[in-house]
Amino acid sequence: MRSVAPGKIIISGEHSVVYGSPALAVAVDIHANAVVERLDEPGIHLHLDNYGKLASLPLAELEQVRLTIDEAYQHYLLGRCAVDKVLPHAGELYLYAIASLYNSYSLPFDHGLDISLKSAIPVRSGMGSSAATVASVLVAVAGYFGAQLDKESLFRFTSHTERLQHGCTSTIDPMVTVHGGLVRVENSQLSRSSELPELNWYLVNTGEPEVSTGQCVAEVRRRFGTSTIWNEFSAIIQGLEQAFLCRDTRALREYVKRNHQLLVDIGVVPDTVQRFISDLKSHYGAAGKISGAGAVHGEKAGFVLVQSDEPVESLCDEYGFSVAKLQADPLGARLCH
């Protein structure tokens, strides 16, 4: 059984969505894929392309792994450990997801599973790699057993698993990878459109940040968790959404620039990336902002979303950044037939 789940790009709302502000994001045609095959021995083997075996576990121990991880997460909530201690091994994220699915659907595990996971979504780049890989595994395992896993249930399982990575429940990554298309999220309420208006969006990769999304979110919470700055984010996001949907390029660029400055203010845009975005304006009259958590340390910040009437390859070459025209995925996580 094969599945696919798209990565995502945040148009606006990174960080602020955690504090109740709206967020706009779009699913893009860069995917995670999972393949589930029968294994005669009673266990689960999980492989990740280019990294080899992520996990290998007897089926009899699957539930205990889930309980142990839940206990570790409670320790994190009580301040007894850092969020990156909840999952000591990367493969445990997927074992937890499978265990949760097993408990809810009473899957007939009378034989083992061999799961191959492959992802073209860069990690630590703000593209929702973790949510997409989790969703693809859930879809493939449920499909293998013929379980009726609808979009809402898939979102719930993916979000519940993802909190282990980020320390809190943020709906944006799971909602986008599950549903696809253009997604607006506010206080866990979802609205979506299947297509992204053609406004000459470019995606620039500044490189993998030195810190994880969870670490970045935690540092911003420490410094700004009780700040009123999130009200400023909300106002800009609402204006940007209107400009976006009305295809008002001039207003759109202005809101993107203001959004970028707020992200600078909370300390998640490295100096090099700030210079690049400034040069976008002076060279092309373009606007840009990070799309994702950014970085609180180092000079790389994952992806920058750029709106420009002209191609921006020349400037990207000067900085050593790769760039691609943005394309949307309207379907979300799904089985491949």
Side-chain angles (χ1 to χ4, degrees):
M1 188 63 67
R2 299 174 182 271
S3 67
V4 62
K8 72 95 173 58
I9 292 296
I10 290 184
I11 297 169
S12 185
E14 49 278 288
H15 288 287
S16 61
V17 69
V18 176
Y19 303 96
S21 296
L24 294 175
V26 64
V28 294
D29 62 347
I30 304 174
H31 299 97
N33 301 269
V35 179
V36 176
E37 297 179 302
R38 180 188 177 95
L39 189 67
D40 288 335
E41 62 183 87
I44 294 178
H45 292 179
L46 181 65
H47 308 267
L48 178 62
D49 186 56
N50 297 328
Y51 289 91
K53 186 175 291 185
L54 273 181
S56 183
L57 185 77
L59 289 175
E61 297 178 17
L62 186 61
E63 175 63 6
Q64 185 56 52
V65 167
R66 186 182 70 84
L67 295 174
T68 299
I69 292 172
D70 277 339
E71 183 179 1
Y73 185 72
Q74 288 302 313
H75 282 296
Y76 159 73
L77 292 178
L78 293 171
R80 296 175 182 170
C81 71
V83 67
D84 57 357
K85 302 299 182 183
V86 174
L87 295 167
H89 306 290
E92 292 181 347
L93 181 72
Y94 307 102
L95 294 175
Y96 184 91
I98 294 167
S100 299
L101 194 67
Y102 171 77
N103 276 349
S104 296
Y105 286 84
S106 299
L107 300 180
F109 273 145
D110 54 358
H111 60 270
L113 299 178
D114 187 84
I115 304 172
S116 298
L117 185 60
K118 181 177 181 180
S119 179
I121 306 169
V123 298
R124 295 185 179 181
S125 61
M127 290 190 68
S129 171
S130 177
T133 53
V134 168
S136 65
V137 167
L138 286 166
V139 169
V141 171
Y144 179 86
F145 287 107
Q148 298 301 310
L149 186 63
D150 59 28
K151 292 282 191 180
E152 191 55 41
S153 298
L154 175 59
F155 162 72
R156 187 173 64 253
F157 281 116
T158 304
S159 180
H160 185 69
T161 302
E162 274 289 275
R163 84 196 197 287
L164 305 173
Q165 292 273 77
H166 306 305
C168 59
T169 301
S170 176
T171 58
I172 189 71
D173 284 11
M175 278 192 173
V176 176
T177 197
V178 168
H179 291 275
L182 176 66
V183 173
R184 184 186 195 273
V185 178
E186 184 172 10
N187 295 322
S188 298
Q189 298 300 308
L190 163 74
S191 60
R192 67 180 293 272
S193 172
S194 62
E195 295 186 5
L196 176 68
E198 291 295 335
L199 289 175
N200 296 319
W201 291 100
Y202 293 88
L203 197 58
V204 177
N205 190 353
T206 71
E208 182 181 334
E210 296 178 10
V211 293
S212 69
T213 297
Q215 291 170 320
C216 200
V217 169
E219 177 62 16
V220 170
R221 185 190 299 113
R222 184 185 70 81
R223 297 176 58 196
F224 294 95
T226 59
S227 172
T228 59
I229 196 170
W230 309 114
N231 297 328
E232 299 178 52
F233 273 97
S234 294
I236 288 176
I237 292 166
Q238 290 171 5
L240 194 154
E241 180 180 20
Q242 290 303 311
F244 185 83
L245 295 177
C246 294
R247 294 168 169 80
D248 186 342
T249 303
R250 184 174 180 179
L252 179 72
R253 288 178 183 168
E254 180 59 32
Y255 281 118
V256 168
K257 287 187 286 186
R258 291 169 62 186
N259 199 156
H260 163 64
Q261 185 56 53
L262 284 179
L263 293 168
V264 171
D265 293 344
I266 64 172
V268 297
V269 188
D271 291 342
T272 298
V273 178
Q274 291 185 45
R275 289 194 298 273
F276 171 72
I277 291 175
S278 177
D279 285 345
L280 282 170
K281 180 180 178 182
S282 60
H283 284 55
Y284 306 102
K289 58 179 286 296
I290 62 168
S291 177
V296 291
H297 303 294
E299 291 301 316
K300 299 176 181 179
F303 282 95
V304 169
L305 184 64
V306 176
Q307 200 288 320
S308 175
D309 290 337
E310 302 177 45
V312 296
E313 281 85 356
S314 295
L315 181 63
C316 292
D317 287 343
E318 291 180 22
Y319 278 84
F321 298 159
S322 61
V323 59
K325 192 75 177 290
L326 184 60
Q327 300 292 330
D329 179 322
L331 301 177
R334 57 203 183 267
L335 291 173
C336 298
H337 299 290

